[in-house]
Amino acid sequence: MPSFSLAGRRALVTGSSQGIGLAIARALAHAGAQLVLHGRETSKLAQAVASLQADGFTAEACAFDVTDEAAIAQAAPQLGAIDILVNNTGIHRRGPLATMSLADWNTVLHTNLTSAFLVTRAVAPGMIARRSGKVINICSLMSELARPTTGNYAASKGGLKMLTRAMCAEWAQHEVQINGIAPGYILTEMTQTLAADPQFDSWIKSRTPAGRWGSVNDLTGACVFLASPAANFVNGQILTIDGGLSAVV
Ligand code: GCO
């Protein structure tokens, strides 16, 4: 069996002070990786690092704005050689397109999509030089499906799906594997208001063949797999983890 071990690998997970990012970071650490956690709120980031260290994992913090190329360049020496990059940073600014502000459009596209371009562009040269690297883009069920009030988010996640394939087209030849996972409706800080709405909660449970919301722990196994040598011939793929929602009408 190819190894699922990440021993000796250094991993950066953007947006990993809470939610999906922190769960993925913990899973990569559990598989042996040395973790660099990222976030903009330094206190929350410090708590996340402490929680991993308390479990005996190697973890450090790096705070920078993932939409600011100068800030990324300034953080590069602290980041060091990154073997595994998870582009997880993501936000929602829900609202109807007809009245959506350019600010709400731009902040979602910059945070969810441009950030993946900027951060990966910063770490890819090292991966290419070492002929080894893993990039996992956290796409979404909304890389394929939309619903009203999510136009900026869906556009950003659809773009992230195609950026994943574009990175594959250019970097697979250098033994760098770039894939994505597409979470469905997962209970996180970003969806808690939706889950608290009885009508929306009931719709999700009826629309999802598994009959439930996902948890962040439903996402971690796929990330460890894609980050490991077991996935060295998997490239440009998006693995959807949604309880079957996108498979049925
Ligand atoms: C919504 C939800 C979705 C999910 C996404 C997770 O507003 O419908 O927030 O956007 O969060 O599918 O990837």
Side-chain angles (χ1 to χ4, degrees):
M1 276 288 284
S3 165
F4 286 79
S5 169
L6 306 183
R9 300 280 199 266
R10 183 173 170 81
L12 166 63
V13 181
T14 65
S16 51
S17 54
Q18 65 181 15
I20 289 175
L22 180 54
I24 290 172
R26 180 178 296 280
L28 298 179
H30 213 283
Q34 174 190 353
L35 257 292
V36 181
L37 301 190
H38 160 271
R40 295 193 66 185
E41 293 179 41
T42 50
S43 60
K44 195 181 281 190
L45 188 57
Q47 286 172 18
V49 169
S51 73
L52 262 64
Q53 290 173 340
D55 289 343
F57 301 131
T58 302
E60 62 189 85
C62 190
F64 59 92
D65 179 350
V66 290
T67 66
D68 180 341
E69 65 181 335
I72 293 167
Q74 192 175 10
Q78 182 186 349
L79 291 175
I82 297 297
D83 302 300
I84 301 163
L85 169 61
V86 180
N87 288 307
N88 168 71
T89 297
I91 59 171
H92 247 298
R93 292 287 183 278
R94 299 181 184 89
L97 286 170
T99 55
M100 185 176 289
S101 70
L102 181 57
D104 277 353
W105 173 268
N106 281 339
T107 195
V108 169
L109 270 291
H110 291 161
T111 305
N112 296 7
L113 178 56
T114 304
S115 65
F117 159 65
L118 290 175
V119 179
T120 312
R121 187 184 66 177
V123 305
M127 293 179 172
I128 290 168
R130 294 188 298 273
R131 291 192 60 77
S132 174
K134 300 283 188 178
V135 178
I136 300 170
N137 292 323
I138 307 303
C139 298
S140 167
L141 175 67
M142 293 198 153
S143 295
E144 298 294 343
L145 303 173
R147 71 179 184 88
T149 73
T150 65
N152 46 2
Y153 185 91
S156 72
K157 293 298 189 177
L160 192 55
K161 174 187 76 172
M162 288 313 301
L163 180 60
T164 301
R165 293 176 177 163
M167 289 174 174
C168 167
E170 294 193 19
W171 298 333
Q173 63 186 304
H174 303 297
E175 282 305 318
V176 178
Q177 290 86 42
I178 309 94
N179 294 286
I181 67 163
Y185 283 90
I186 309 294
L187 284 172
T188 66
E189 294 81 358
M190 191 163 71
T191 58
Q192 61 191 10
T193 53
L194 301 176
D197 175 341
Q199 192 175 0
F200 196 97
D201 177 59
S202 172
W203 175 69
I204 287 296
K205 288 172 178 172
S206 63
R207 182 69 178 78
T208 304
R212 66 175 176 87
W213 289 74
S215 85
V216 293
N217 295 325
D218 287 316
L219 305 174
T220 55
C223 286
V224 171
F225 164 64
L226 289 173
S228 77
N232 280 353
F233 204 53
V234 180
N235 222 323
Q237 302 306 307
I238 311 297
L239 182 53
T240 300
I241 306 170
D242 66 355
L245 193 157
S246 58
V248 300
V249 293

